Amino acid sequence: MCAGITVYSPLRHFGIGPGMKVGIVGMGGLGHLAVKFAAALGAEVTVLSRGTSKKDDAFAFGADDFRSTSEPDTFVDRAGYFDIVICTVSAALNFDQLLSLVRFDGTFVNLGAPDGPVSIGMFSLMRTRIAFTSSSIGSIHETQEMLDFCVEHGVTSEIEQISADGINDALDTLRHHGSRKVPYRYVLDASTI
């Protein structure tokens, strides 16, 4: 769970709670925890994902809606809809398109770390006074708060436990398939080292 602080911290910082509309871009290792945290905080949660393979999981984790970013209607139906969009994807994305989903004076939090520079048209921010920000970690105090929150709300990370002799296979899967074929988190069984 300490990896979860990356998504917990901005959710708490921006006061996410009942009545707020939260969009989560990507539902991998960070994204699935963002969905669980935002739902437990009482927000209306929508998963925004390229494909639909994790749709059932999204609802099981507490999402209220699921939209494919491959469908142009998503950007029409949800234009200016979200108070905050949290992006957990580390790939090159069309940020201008994603920013169109954020309401006036809303916030876009980018937690992904693409390999190179990203492009954002200034009018995507200026037109609706959107705050574009990022975050990577929280304090020790905030991490303890997150762990207490997890216990209180039953939030757990989805994992696949692997033994030490399975590390190369796990890395191979990551290298060749990215997050598409990977469970939400791999966890190494330290007793097998």
Side-chain angles (χ1 to χ4, degrees), residues 149-170:
F149 182 88
C150 289
V151 170
E152 181 181 346
H153 295 277
V155 175
T156 59
S157 182
E158 303 298 313
I159 66 161
E160 180 178 323
Q161 188 168 317
I162 60 172
S163 62
D165 62 2
I167 289 176
N168 288 334
D169 290 337

Side-chain angles (χ1 to χ4, degrees), residues 11-12 14-22 37-45 64 83-84 103 149 153:
L11 287 167
R12 294 302 281 174
F14 291 105
I16 302 308
M20 297 188 78
K21 296 177 175 103
V22 178
F37 286 141
L41 287 165
E44 176 189 310
V45 182
D64 299 288
D83 297 297
I84 187 169
R103 70 163 173 79
F149 182 88
H153 295 277

Side-chain angles (χ1 to χ4, degrees), residues 61-190:
F61 298 158
D64 299 288
D65 195 8
F66 185 98
R67 299 291 175 127
S68 171
T69 55
S70 300
E71 297 293 325
D73 286 351
T74 294
F75 297 95
V76 175
D77 295 343
R78 290 294 180 251
Y81 185 79
F82 298 104
D83 297 297
I84 187 169
V85 170
I86 296 181
C87 180
T88 66
V89 177
S90 289
L93 300 171
N94 184 335
F95 283 101
D96 294 318
Q97 196 176 39
L98 292 170
L99 286 165
S100 75
L101 301 172
V102 182
R103 70 163 173 79
F104 186 83
D105 273 344
T107 304
F108 187 96
V109 181
N110 185 58
L111 302 177
D115 288 337
V118 298
S119 174
I120 301 169
M122 283 300 105
F123 282 106
S124 296
L125 301 173
M126 294 164 63
R127 181 174 58 235
T128 53
R129 209 165 57 195
I130 293 170
F132 187 97
T133 186
S134 189
S135 177
S136 66
I137 196 149
S139 67
I140 291 173
H141 172 77
E142 198 170 37
T143 301
Q144 184 60 58
E145 177 188 312
M146 178 197 71
L147 293 171
D148 294 341
F149 182 88
C150 289
V151 170
E152 181 181 346
H153 295 277
V155 175
T156 59
S157 182
E158 303 298 313
I159 66 161
E160 180 178 323
Q161 188 168 317
I162 60 172
S163 62
D165 62 2
I167 289 176
N168 288 334
D169 290 337
L171 289 174
D172 203 42
T173 300
L174 282 169
R175 228 177 266 117
H176 293 100
H177 301 287
S179 63
R180 291 184 307 272
K181 299 260 183 181
V182 176
Y184 296 101
R185 290 266 178 215
Y186 279 129
V187 173
L188 178 63
D189 180 351

